[in-house]
């Protein structure tokens, strides 16, 4: 509207404001666009900016704007259709989630598929942390625990012991050519997170983490509460 254009562009003349309004109308479609163009042309001629007939100017501008808008829309669709197709294909191929077992994936890690990446099994109990690394053929590469690394008694259940054990396991696996691993965690012990951090510190790149902790669904009756 003319009063809206005057509020938006207070320092410009009337024909500049009308041109801005026509440029704004170009962004609309259908009958709304025609009605707005017709109203803008009538206000433009009534204001005295151009001495001509409002009807003729309205029809001419309406026809030019409509055909120009249709051409712009067709050219934009034709130009964006290949890009949209390519982008949709890329979005289908790329995903942040690991592939489902049995599903092919174009992702590769050092030339290996997701199914061929070695797996690190971490069993975090309340008194110890066990770490085992297997390849895709289910052959054990590394097997260690906090007790094997020299921790005794209550020190075995600490997070420091779990991190040290994971660093040692990562160093042994790196010597055997392992670079990327998948992690499967089981248990709720204190060394649960520290073990994963130790693998990263030891030089291994973790590509996925799976929680395999068993959860009882109202299963066995729990033990009685310990009296202190």
């Amino acid at each position: 509207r003319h009063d809206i254009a005057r509020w938006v562009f207070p320092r410009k003349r009337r024909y500049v404001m009308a041109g801005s309004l026509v440029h704004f109308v170009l962004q609309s479609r259908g009958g709304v666009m025609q009605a707005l163009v017709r109203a803008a042309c009538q206000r433009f001629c009534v204001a005295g900016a151009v001495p001509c007939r409002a009807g003729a100017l309205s029809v001419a501008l309406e026809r030019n704007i409509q055909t120009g808008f249709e051409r712009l829309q067709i050219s934009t669709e034709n130009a964006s259709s290949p890009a949209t197709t390519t982008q949709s294909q890329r979005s289908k191929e790329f995903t942040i989630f690991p592939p489902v077992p049995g599903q092919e994936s174009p992702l590769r890690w050092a030339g290996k598929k997701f199914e061929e990446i070695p797996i690190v099994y971490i069993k975090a109990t309340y008194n110890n942390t066990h770490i085992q690394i297997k390849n895709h053929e289910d052959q054990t590469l590394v097997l260690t625990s906090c007790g094997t690394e020299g921790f005794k008694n209550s020190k075995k259940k600490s997070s420091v012991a779990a991190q040290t054990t994971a660093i040692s396991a990562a160093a042994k696996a790196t010597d055997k050519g392992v670079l990327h691993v998948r992690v499967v965690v089981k248990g709720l012990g204190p060394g649960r997170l520290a073990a994963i951090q130790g693998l990263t510190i030891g030089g291994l790149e973790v590509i996925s983490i799976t929680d395999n902790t068993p959860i009882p669904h109202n299963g066995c009756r729990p033990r009685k509460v310990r009296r202190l």
Side-chain angles (χ1 to χ4, degrees):
R1 293 179 59 184
H2 188 65
D3 53 349
I4 297 178
R6 181 181 300 174
W7 178 73
V8 177
F9 307 97
R11 298 182 180 179
K12 296 184 179 180
R13 297 180 181 178
R14 291 183 176 179
Y15 62 89
V16 178
M17 290 187 290
S20 301
L21 184 59
V22 172
H23 178 70
F24 171 76
V25 170
L26 279 173
Q27 300 178 2
S28 59
R29 295 184 180 181
V32 179
M33 180 186 70
Q34 298 177 2
L36 289 176
V37 171
R38 189 177 296 107
C41 294
Q42 291 177 359
R43 289 180 176 271
F44 185 65
C45 293
V46 170
V50 178
C52 63
R53 295 182 179 179
L57 180 60
S58 175
V59 173
L61 282 178
E62 181 181 339
R63 184 183 302 111
N64 294 333
I65 291 175
Q66 185 174 3
T67 54
F69 180 78
E70 291 177 356
R71 293 176 184 176
L72 179 62
Q73 185 178 6
I74 294 173
S75 61
T76 305
E77 291 178 356
N78 294 335
S80 63
S81 57
T84 305
T85 305
T86 307
Q87 185 177 4
S88 62
Q89 292 178 356
R90 292 179 179 178
S91 62
K92 291 180 180 179
E93 294 178 357
F94 178 77
T95 176
I96 61 175
F97 300 103
V100 179
Q103 179 183 1
E104 292 292 334
S105 175
L107 300 179
R108 296 292 184 273
W109 292 268
K112 296 182 180 179
K113 297 182 180 180
F114 183 80
E115 295 80 5
E116 299 175 355
I117 302 297
I119 303 177
V120 179
Y121 295 94
I122 299 176
K123 183 180 180 181
T125 62
Y126 291 104
N127 297 320
N128 202 349
T129 302
H130 303 267
I131 298 177
Q132 184 179 12
I133 302 178
K134 291 185 177 182
N135 57 8
H136 66 285
E137 297 178 353
D138 203 19
Q139 297 177 354
T140 302
L141 302 178
V142 179
L143 178 60
T144 183
S145 64
C146 296
T148 308
E149 296 299 325
F151 295 93
K152 301 297 182 180
N153 301 327
S154 62
K155 295 181 180 179
K156 294 190 297 182
K157 62 182 180 180
S158 63
S159 59
V160 177
Q163 184 172 351
T164 305
T165 305
I167 294 174
S168 176
K172 295 177 183 178
T174 304
D175 294 339
K176 296 184 179 181
V178 179
L179 299 177
H180 304 83
V181 293
R182 295 177 286 167
V183 177
V184 178
V185 185
K186 181 179 180 180
L188 300 175
R192 175 186 176 93
L193 181 60
I196 301 176
Q197 295 176 351
L199 294 175
T200 305
I201 296 173
L204 297 179
E205 184 176 353
V206 179
I207 63 174
S208 69
I209 300 176
T210 305
D211 189 4
N212 197 23
T213 304
I215 301 176
H217 300 277
N218 293 333
C220 299
R221 180 179 178 179
R223 297 178 62 181
K224 64 178 181 180
V225 180
R226 181 184 176 186
R227 296 180 182 179
L228 298 177

